[in-house]
Amino acid sequence: MIFEATHVTKSGKEFPVEINSSVIELDGRLMILAVVRDISTRKQAEEQLRETNERLHILFDQAADAIYVSDSEGCFNPGKQAGL
């Protein structure tokens, strides 16, 4: 099972974690193995991406003129721009 949760440090600061848990057998007994990983950096990057996408959608939706998008070499590739 993989899921996300919020953990708290000794100082009371909350931070997001991803927990990957599974049942294993050890010495004939069933045990739960859980790996907890801090995902603060990933969550920050996801939020920045969401905000950037939101701003771009507003820009494109409100543009009165055509908008031309090209790569760093000046080439236009509509499939690439659409994420295809």
Side-chain angles (χ1 to χ4, degrees):
M1 176 184 283
I2 299 174
F3 58 97
E4 294 181 7
T6 301
H7 279 199
V8 181
T9 65
K10 289 181 182 180
S11 66
K13 179 184 175 195
E14 294 184 348
F15 63 101
V17 294
E18 178 182 85
I19 301 170
N20 185 342
S21 63
S22 57
V23 177
I24 63 168
E25 186 175 338
L26 183 64
D27 295 330
R29 296 173 52 200
L30 291 179
M31 309 282 248
I32 296 175
L33 173 66
V35 177
V36 180
R37 186 172 57 125
D38 183 345
I39 57 171
S40 299
T41 303
R42 183 179 87 195
K43 289 293 188 180
Q44 290 170 353
E46 288 173 352
E47 178 61 19
Q48 288 174 347
L49 180 61
R50 187 193 64 74
E51 289 173 0
T52 298
N53 283 339
E54 195 173 284
R55 286 193 301 268
L56 285 173
H57 281 157
I58 290 170
L59 172 69
F60 281 107
D61 289 344
Q62 295 180 356
D65 298 320
I67 297 176
Y68 174 80
V69 180
S70 68
D71 63 17
S72 61
E73 297 172 1
C75 296
F76 175 70
N77 183 340
K80 184 176 181 181
Q81 301 302 326
L84 302 174

